Amino acid sequence: MAIEQTEEIFRHFEKYIKLSPILKNELATRMVFKSFKKGKLIHSADTICTKSYFIQKGLLRIYFIKDGKEITEYFSAENEWVNSPRSLMQQKLDIYYIDSLEPTDCFCLNVRDLVFLFDNFPEMERYARLSMGTAFGHFMERITSMRFTTAKEKYQHFCETYHDIHHRISLGMVSSYLGITQETLSRIRAEK
Amino acid sequence: MAIEQTEEIFRHFEKYIKLSPILKNELATRMVFKSFKKGKLIHSADTICTKSYFIQKGLLRIYFIKDGKEITEYFSAENEWVNSPRSLMQQKLDIYYIDSLEPTDCFCLNVRDLVFLFDNFPEMERYARLSMGTAFGHFMERITSMRFTTAKEKYQHFCETYHDIHHRISLGMVSSYLGITQETLSRIRAEK
DNA sequence: AATAACTTTTGACCTGGATCAAAAAATCAT
DNA sequence: ATGATTTTTTGATCCAGGTCAAAAGTTATT
């Protein structure tokens, strides 16, 4: 991959670890740049996940299907990794689908390269541990926000968490993310 | 710490990584065995968390206080690590308290030793990454179980998740964990 | 054992948000 | 552009679970 495109993702890594020139080179060699147009299915639940995507620009949705309806698990935007976590790490099937809500540019690493990097660069293990810690904190906040809060408070929390992208996402996707109905969310939005 | 007591925790590590004799020795040297009687406050929100506890036997609760009431974030029992995650990792204050719901025996590692182990044993980084992955999966399941489920289904999911300990925990603590009222939980339990 | 201090259960009532239905608005395809 | 499809809004009704209150049961203290 052209080394000039890697600045952003390297900056992301360097929030957590120092990148040696050797590791930078290994990363740049292994990452593949990919563009998806809006509405593309990037990963399906009936395949094992073999790739992890780092979003440079765009917006993806991770969802599963319950009673025939798509339920949003979460959204991912710029500077975040996206994959089907259990499927990727344990190389088995899981319930999640991933699609693009906007035209999206990604860096893509396949599972063999990930394993290589973890096996040969301890700092990659550290990066993964620390960045997962950050994600963990967000999950705990989300769990807190889902108990003991009204639908309106849930929506407000959502707008804070996804402040710069909440207006790019359709009503139905947001409502299933929050665990409320479309109708209720529509009324909440109307009332101010 | 006496090396004979470490069998269980070593077995836990070895679910994820291979332990070299050197690492075993470092762990055994640094871990301190601690016993808490029931009802002891193990960590308070007004201190920075400096220790991580691995439960050998017993039951701990992680909670925070909202509107003067204790809200259970989660429970931890045998073979699990307990700490105030963000407080421990970032050495800053966070909202969580930890107390013992039963007499509890733990292995205790302080933050300096943790840092030493992470700095000197890449396999510890890997262990942390992989075991966090497991915890992550549980959180995702919990989030799913909290949306689109009735109070009864939430309680059933709780009983499955904490199958061998759900009867050891008081009503109020369970209901705040689930985000329902005590009264509702009492009625659910009564009805069969 | 008696008293005090929690914890759980039971009852009566009320409300936030679900459900069902259909109109209005926005987006897409030819 | 024009009709077709999808998304959002609005309305009417209903019920799961919240709130408040008080009784019953448990556990701890002297």
Side-chain angles (χ1 to χ4, degrees):
Chain A
M1 195 178 68
I3 201 87
E4 317 82 58
Q5 297 179 292
T6 58
E7 273 317 305
E8 260 173 295
I9 189 165
F10 285 174
R11 227 177 299 134
H12 173 76
F13 276 109
E14 286 177 333
K15 284 186 200 160
Y16 299 101
I17 56 168
K18 245 185 105 50
L19 286 178
S20 67
I22 297 174
L23 176 50
K24 277 190 181 180
N25 185 58
E26 289 289 353
L27 282 166
T29 309
R30 290 180 153 75
M31 289 188 302
V32 177
F33 189 80
K34 285 207 177 189
S35 283
F36 300 105
K37 55 179 95 163
K38 179 174 174 171
K40 173 98 169 66
L41 187 67
I42 291 170
H43 170 72
S44 164
D46 45 49
T47 63
I48 290 173
C49 185
T50 58
K51 293 183 167 63
S52 189
Y53 302 93
F54 182 87
I55 305 174
Q56 198 202 38
K57 180 95 196 69
L59 184 56
L60 303 185
R61 169 179 68 139
I62 293 78
Y63 66 97
F64 61 95
I65 294 178
K66 191 190 176 185
D67 307 327
K69 283 170 37 178
E70 298 176 356
I71 309 290
T72 302
E73 190 69 44
Y74 50 86
F75 305 99
S76 285
E78 285 77 17
N79 298 315
E80 297 182 319
W81 286 99
V82 182
N83 50 60
S84 178
R86 210 167 0 182
S87 179
L88 180 71
M89 295 317 295
Q90 298 174 34
Q91 286 296 290
K92 64 181 193 187
L93 292 174
D94 201 353
I95 59 173
Y96 298 104
Y97 298 78
I98 302 172
D99 69 358
S100 51
L101 303 184
E102 296 181 356
T104 298
D105 297 333
C106 299
F107 302 104
C108 171
L109 262 177
N110 75 45
V111 64
R112 271 189 297 109
D113 288 322
L114 272 172
V115 168
F116 171 87
L117 291 165
F118 283 134
D119 283 347
N120 292 282
F121 296 89
E123 59 268 44
M124 281 294 289
E125 295 281 7
R126 170 164 298 190
Y127 163 75
R129 169 173 68 89
L130 296 174
S131 59
M132 276 177 79
T134 306
F136 221 84
H138 295 152
F139 269 51
M140 280 174 75
E141 267 177 44
R142 185 172 168 199
I143 288 173
T144 299
S145 135
M146 296 214 311
R147 293 177 294 176
F148 312 107
T149 56
T150 62
K152 186 176 181 176
E153 288 166 335
K154 288 186 182 78
Y155 179 62
Q156 284 167 341
H157 180 262
F158 165 78
C159 290
E160 286 160 27
T161 312
Y162 288 101
H163 50 281
D164 49 348
I165 54 175
H166 75 266
H167 55 278
R168 307 193 225 158
I169 303 173
S170 81
L171 191 82
M173 290 174 186
V174 175
S175 66
S176 75
Y177 172 84
L178 295 175
I180 62 179
T181 59
Q182 296 196 15
E183 294 92 329
T184 297
L185 183 53
S186 173
R187 283 182 248 262
I188 288 166
R189 278 186 172 169
E191 78 182 41
K192 60 169 252 176
Chain B
M1 196 178 69
I3 200 88
E4 318 82 56
Q5 297 178 293
T6 56
E7 273 317 306
E8 260 172 296
I9 190 168
F10 284 174
R11 224 176 303 134
H12 173 77
F13 277 110
E14 287 177 331
K15 282 186 202 160
Y16 298 100
I17 56 168
K18 247 186 103 50
L19 286 178
S20 67
I22 299 174
L23 176 50
K24 277 188 180 180
N25 185 59
E26 289 290 353
L27 283 166
T29 309
R30 291 179 151 77
M31 289 189 301
V32 176
F33 190 82
K34 286 207 177 189
S35 282
F36 300 105
K37 54 178 96 163
K38 179 176 173 169
K40 172 97 169 67
L41 187 68
I42 290 171
H43 171 72
S44 165
D46 45 50
T47 63
I48 289 173
C49 185
T50 59
K51 293 183 167 62
S52 189
Y53 301 94
F54 183 86
I55 305 176
Q56 197 201 38
K57 180 97 196 70
L59 184 58
L60 303 183
R61 169 180 65 139
I62 292 76
Y63 67 96
F64 62 95
I65 294 179
K66 190 190 175 183
D67 306 328
K69 283 172 35 178
E70 297 176 356
I71 309 290
T72 301
E73 189 71 42
Y74 50 86
F75 305 100
S76 286
E78 285 77 15
N79 299 314
E80 296 183 317
W81 287 98
V82 182
N83 50 60
S84 178
R86 210 167 358 183
S87 178
L88 180 71
M89 295 317 295
Q90 298 175 35
Q91 287 295 292
K92 64 179 193 187
L93 292 174
D94 200 354
I95 58 172
Y96 298 104
Y97 299 78
I98 302 172
D99 69 358
S100 50
L101 303 183
E102 297 181 357
T104 298
D105 298 332
C106 298
F107 302 102
C108 171
L109 263 177
N110 74 44
V111 65
R112 270 189 298 110
D113 288 323
L114 273 173
V115 168
F116 171 86
L117 291 165
F118 282 134
D119 282 348
N120 292 281
F121 296 90
E123 58 269 46
M124 282 294 290
E125 295 280 9
R126 172 165 297 190
Y127 163 76
R129 169 174 67 90
L130 295 176
S131 59
M132 277 178 78
T134 307
F136 222 84
H138 295 153
F139 269 51
M140 280 175 75
E141 267 177 44
R142 185 171 170 202
I143 287 173
T144 299
S145 138
M146 297 213 311
R147 292 176 296 177
F148 312 106
T149 57
T150 63
K152 186 175 180 177
E153 289 167 333
K154 287 186 182 77
Y155 179 63
Q156 286 168 341
H157 180 262
F158 164 77
C159 290
E160 286 159 27
T161 312
Y162 288 100
H163 51 284
D164 49 348
I165 54 174
H166 75 267
H167 54 280
R168 308 192 224 158
I169 303 172
S170 80
L171 191 83
M173 290 173 185
V174 175
S175 66
S176 74
Y177 171 82
L178 294 175
I180 61 179
T181 60
Q182 294 196 16
E183 293 92 329
T184 297
L185 182 53
S186 174
R187 282 182 246 262
I188 287 166
R189 277 186 172 169
E191 78 183 44
K192 59 168 253 175

